[in-house]
Structure formats: C-alpha cells, structure tokens
Amino acid sequence: MTEKPAPPVAGLLLAAGGGRRLGGRPKALLPHRGRPLVEHAAGVLRTAGLTRVHVVLGARAAAVREQAELGDCVLVENPDWADGMGSSLRAGLDSLAGTGARAALVSLVDQPGIGPEAVARVLAAYEDETSLVSAAYDGVRGHPVLFGAAHWAGIAATATGDQGARAYLKEHRASIGLVDCGDVAQPYDIDTEADLSHLE
C-alpha cells in the first residue's frame, strides 16, 4: 500500500505564551466553551481542512499535554518560549522541515474570534511554496497567515522577540496576497483581564 502524500499545507498553531498580562496564566489553558483554549484553536484548523497540525507549546507545556485533548496534532515544545513569539515561530517552522509540507498556515491560540471560515479562505489562496498570504480586516493585515516553504528560512532569520514574522512581512509586503476576512471573523487578542470577556 502506498503512503498518501503529505498535504501541501500544514497548520501551525502558536500556543506557547505565558500570559504575562493575565497574571501568568498560560493562554493555551484558558477555559473556552468548557475546554482549554488550545483545544478550540486546534479544532478550528482541523475544521478548516488542515489534516496536519503542529502545535507549539511553551508555558506549562506538561499541564497543556495533560489537560488538552489534541488528538493527532504534532506537539512541539519550545524551551525558549519566554523569549517571545519569534522563538515559537522558529520552533514550529523547524518542526515542519522534512515533513513534505510546502506551506505553513500560522494561527495564534489567543484569537478565538477567528474561526474556520477565515482559515479556509486563507488556505484557499495557497498556490505553491512561494505563496505569501494573509487575512485582512478593513484592509489591515492580520491572522491567520500562510507562508510558503520558500519563505521559511527568511522568516526564521528575522523572527526575534515578540515580532514573529512582522519584519519579514513588512519587507515583502508587495508579495503578500490579502484575503478579506472581516465579514467572517473578529481579530481580537486575549491579552488582558478585560479581554477574558471574549471567552465563553
């Protein structure tokens, strides 16, 4: 029996943050609809059609593994998570090397207002490993974003602190395909105590 070829686009969920402004409560473990937020976020990627999902864990990774049902997601531990999102993005892209993935669709654990419809739209804009696609809200670039494999080395080289891929995307903004998602998603972050009101 021949193995099925790897799906060209892998989901990459960044869920390592320690929730500094939330009194040190890891975002992955915040309760949402009765389950940890990371479980909801991984489910969004699956529902949108991504069959391979890598989840980058950091703060209280052992507790996340214990409490969240992440099924057949590939769990990637980022020992340097406290250095910021850039290190998690690098760890996630590293974990995809050699998997046959030709692009990574990156989403953030703390954006529960972004559901499968927005993810599916960005995924549908994938063409090949040179693709660079971003959801947009009122014309402003947001998440999720899709990075073709041709961009991974450049992104990893510039992903520092909490910047993630921001510097790389700024430099390559002329190449980014924007996909309007404002009618199907709300791009708020869960960063502060006040933001917890967005969780259900």
Side-chain angles (χ1 to χ4, degrees), residues 95 108 172:
S95 76
L108 307 181
H172 295 83

Side-chain angles (χ1 to χ4, degrees), residues 39-174:
E39 210 176 286
H40 166 80
V44 164
L45 296 177
R46 290 252 182 251
T47 304
L50 291 154
T51 54
R52 173 193 288 274
V53 176
H54 287 217
V55 181
V56 181
L57 303 178
R60 296 198 42 214
V64 177
R65 285 175 183 271
E66 205 174 280
Q67 294 174 39
E69 289 175 25
L70 294 168
D72 52 0
C73 293
V74 176
L75 303 183
V76 180
E77 249 174 85
N78 173 20
D80 303 318
W81 64 268
D83 294 345
M85 187 170 50
S87 67
S88 290
L89 182 56
R90 288 197 306 275
L93 292 175
D94 274 355
S95 76
L96 290 171
T99 63
R102 297 175 69 203
L105 189 147
V106 181
S107 71
L108 307 181
V109 75
D110 66 347
Q111 294 191 321
I114 297 175
E117 299 87 349
V119 176
R121 278 189 194 177
V122 172
L123 178 59
Y126 163 78
E127 289 176 1
D128 58 29
E129 62 272 6
T130 66
S131 292
L132 207 50
V133 183
S134 172
Y137 303 90
D138 293 325
V140 178
R141 188 167 47 72
H143 283 89
V145 287
L146 183 143
F147 304 132
H151 301 281
W152 294 355
I155 289 168
T158 56
T160 54
D162 272 326
Q163 290 293 303
R166 202 174 298 161
Y168 187 88
L169 291 174
K170 200 170 173 186
E171 200 181 310
H172 295 83
R173 58 178 170 265

